[in-house]
Amino acid sequence: MNVLILGSGGREHTFAWKIAQSKKLNKLFIAPGNAGTKNHGENVNINPNDFDAVKTFCLANDVKMIVVGPEEPLVRGVYDYFQNSQDANHIMVIGPSANGAQLEGSKDFSKAFMERHNIPTARYLTFTSENLADGYKFLETLEAPYVLKADGLAAGKGVLILSDLEEAKRELANILSNDKFGAAGSKVVIEEYMHGIECSYFILTDGENYKILPEAKDYKRIGEGDTGLNTGGMGAVSPVPFANAEFAQKVEERIIKPTIKGLKDENIVYKGFIFIGLMNVGGEPMVIEYNCRMGDPETEVVIPRINNDLLEMFEEVGKGNLTTTKLDISNQFATTVMVVSGGYPEFYEKNKVITGIENVSDSIVFHAGTTLNNNEILATGGRVIAFTSFGNSIQEAIAKSYDSISKVSFDKMYFRRDIGKDLL
Ligand code: AMP
Ligand code: GLY
């Protein structure tokens, strides 16, 4: 089968690396891909949000499956576009319908969905500029810190956590009346703050059957000790030691089963990944958010721990019979450390030459923001390369990731030296 992956980050390189190992694969394409995905298939210069161009390419190249990496094409309806396209509805799209993608595309939708299906999450209310004053009143009933969430997609920047009530009111007004997040902020979810440790679960579903993939913990802040600005993610660890059998059972019974049943009961077509961001509140799992795709860099530790043929699993998802696969998960720890461009997540310089990748032997190198220029690999993104390693303990795996990083260099490279430390 010919397969097209949409996206260009570490998540998509990981999918490409894994799918390239499938005995079912004929040709692999990645749009637009990066310097790393080139090792596993052919990069094609198409914008994942240009559905007409994606379709033309698929028809010309006999592509039978599209694996969607990022959320934006999903929220914009790439699944539905192919379903409704007479000459291309034979192409399987791995990802939810636009309706299903609302789990990520609208915080208000996802909170209301959880409420309808009794899925544990923080108490909340949603406000618009029409009832700003009610928003102020609701904030007064809550305790600090205050959590404000722009309803729509805001490139990971739409959540504000504020310790001061007056500041929370000012920011609420900024989002609702002054367009701080543009259209994404025309509604704001205000919710209670949950105290605990975060952990993420990943489900692959055909809308009826599901497989629970390995869980992971992500490190979002730029600075060591979880300080500084939020990033897309600076590293990840899987498995997560506190997510033991008892916790996992609570997650499945209270969250995963009602989520899948809720989607089915509401006739929401969903053939793809569900990423559930959780807070462990004194041993009880509470949902922070859903995403309609895999996480990045969580994919870089989750997918390498799966020994099954991923393409075979995707085919079952597409056909709606995700039943024959018996998951075979490595019991080793996987860690990944993301190397970024100095300055990220704010301004950073681009096009620095990366050297030494060929000297790495103990880790898998997943490219996130790289471009091949003649024979040089250039750092062109904020997040540049993820170094994934295995070990019998977090310590053993992470030591390999750091040793591999020491072999690679580019001007102003930066990475956190404390990935996984909090779990030891
Ligand atoms: P989200 O974009 O919804 O994942 O939110 C970004 C981050 O904000 C999460 O990863 C959490 O660290 C934090 N967060 C969001 N909602 C809450 C909440 N209700 N209580 C505590 N932390 C939260
Ligand atoms: N690492 C967090 C995310 O992918 O949203």
Side-chain angles (χ1 to χ4, degrees):
M1 169 171 17
N2 293 348
V3 176
L4 171 67
I5 299 172
L6 298 183
S8 63
R11 168 182 50 212
E12 289 77 17
H13 185 186
T14 312
F15 283 151
W17 168 84
K18 183 70 177 166
I19 289 172
Q21 298 169 38
S22 170
K23 57 182 187 300
K24 297 215 151 181
L25 181 72
N26 182 26
K27 278 199 85 173
L28 180 62
F29 303 99
I30 310 96
N34 60 38
T37 59
K38 272 203 165 137
N39 298 326
H40 312 290
E42 186 184 327
N43 287 352
V44 288
N45 191 13
I46 296 177
N47 176 346
N49 295 315
D50 184 350
F51 302 161
D52 288 337
V54 172
K55 177 172 126 178
T56 303
F57 179 83
C58 288
L59 293 177
N61 291 278
D62 196 25
V63 169
K64 291 278 160 50
M65 179 187 288
I66 302 172
V67 178
V68 187
E71 63 277 12
E72 199 180 333
L74 293 166
V75 173
R76 288 172 178 242
V78 67
Y79 179 92
D80 315 72
Y81 174 93
F82 278 89
Q83 276 297 299
N84 299 331
S85 169
Q86 276 195 4
D87 52 344
N89 60 11
H90 63 284
I91 300 173
M92 290 185 243
V93 176
I94 303 305
S97 63
N99 232 343
Q102 289 297 296
L103 282 185
E104 175 166 3
S106 166
K107 300 274 187 201
D108 178 49
F109 176 94
S110 78
K111 294 295 286 190
F113 177 88
M114 286 185 255
E115 195 165 62
R116 283 197 294 282
H117 300 288
N118 275 314
I119 295 167
T121 188
R123 193 164 65 91
Y124 84 106
L125 284 174
T126 301
F127 300 93
T128 65
S129 57
E130 315 272 272
N131 59 358
L132 181 61
D134 296 334
Y136 292 159
K137 279 192 204 134
F138 184 58
L139 281 170
E140 284 163 11
T141 69
L142 300 175
E143 276 172 37
Y146 304 92
V147 183
L148 307 183
K149 299 186 171 184
D151 179 56
L153 289 186
K157 298 192 172 73
V159 175
L160 300 179
I161 299 186
L162 306 159
S163 50
D164 178 71
L165 178 62
E166 290 314 313
E167 193 189 356
K169 289 181 179 173
R170 267 199 310 278
E171 289 292 357
L172 180 65
N174 270 337
I175 306 172
L176 288 177
S177 313
N178 301 335
D179 271 5
K180 176 167 177 148
F181 296 118
S186 61
K187 288 186 202 170
V188 173
V189 166
I190 301 180
E191 66 178 32
E192 271 180 340
Y193 185 85
M194 299 182 279
H195 293 270
I197 316 177
E198 285 181 50
C199 166
S200 297
Y201 274 72
F202 303 93
I203 319 299
L204 181 63
T205 183
D206 59 13
E208 172 124 23
N209 311 290
Y210 63 86
K211 299 288 169 194
I212 304 177
L213 309 180
E215 77 286 352
K217 185 171 191 293
D218 166 29
Y219 293 79
K220 284 212 176 84
R221 304 290 196 95
I222 189 72
E224 284 163 19
D226 267 321
T227 52
L229 293 174
N230 253 324
T231 71
M234 297 295 291
V237 174
S238 176
V240 179
F242 67 75
N244 55 23
E246 189 191 343
F247 186 78
Q249 201 195 342
K250 288 179 186 171
V251 173
E252 181 165 15
E253 292 303 321
R254 298 176 193 174
I255 296 167
I256 296 172
K257 283 186 181 168
T259 298
I260 301 292
K261 184 172 182 306
L263 291 170
K264 225 179 105 184
D265 289 351
E266 297 189 25
N267 293 315
I268 296 174
V269 177
Y270 207 113
K271 291 171 184 265
F273 293 102
I274 309 177
F275 165 157
I276 307 176
L278 291 176
M279 192 71 86
N280 175 351
V281 182
E284 309 303 322
M286 307 272 290
V287 178
I288 300 171
E289 62 162 353
Y290 290 109
N291 293 308
C292 62
R293 48 161 178 93
M294 279 299 288
D296 197 346
E298 293 91 331
T299 304
E300 289 92 305
V301 290
V302 170
I303 295 294
R305 287 188 61 221
I306 301 174
N307 294 324
N308 304 71
D309 184 325
L310 190 63
L311 188 47
E312 219 165 73
M313 289 170 69
F314 284 161
E315 213 180 353
E316 290 184 10
V317 167
K319 291 181 176 160
N321 64 349
L322 183 58
T323 45
T324 41
T325 296
K326 194 172 176 319
L327 275 184
D328 174 10
I329 305 293
S330 158
N331 53 23
Q332 286 209 304
F333 283 89
T335 59
T336 201
V337 178
M338 188 65 81
V339 170
V340 307
S341 299
Y344 171 80
E346 296 183 286
F347 175 79
Y348 55 88
E349 292 167 28
K350 290 189 180 175
N351 299 320
K352 306 285 187 185
V353 178
I354 306 168
T355 57
I357 293 180
E358 67 283 1
N359 300 328
V360 175
S361 53
D362 275 353
S363 304
I364 316 171
V365 175
F366 290 123
H367 292 233
T370 65
T371 310
L372 200 60
N373 182 31
N374 297 319
N375 279 321
E376 287 181 330
I377 298 173
L378 304 180
T380 44
R383 293 191 295 170
V384 180
I385 306 177
F387 293 78
T388 295
S389 316
F390 281 100
N392 292 320
S393 62
I394 293 176
Q395 289 98 319
E396 193 185 318
I398 203 76
K400 287 187 197 166
S401 289
Y402 288 126
D403 183 56
S404 297
I405 290 174
S406 74
K407 298 180 172 156
V408 172
S409 86
F410 63 94
D411 184 35
K412 300 197 172 70
M413 69 185 249
Y414 168 79
F415 57 93
R416 272 178 63 168
R417 290 166 196 273
D418 66 341
I419 302 302
K421 233 181 186 172
D422 58 325
L423 297 175
L424 299 181

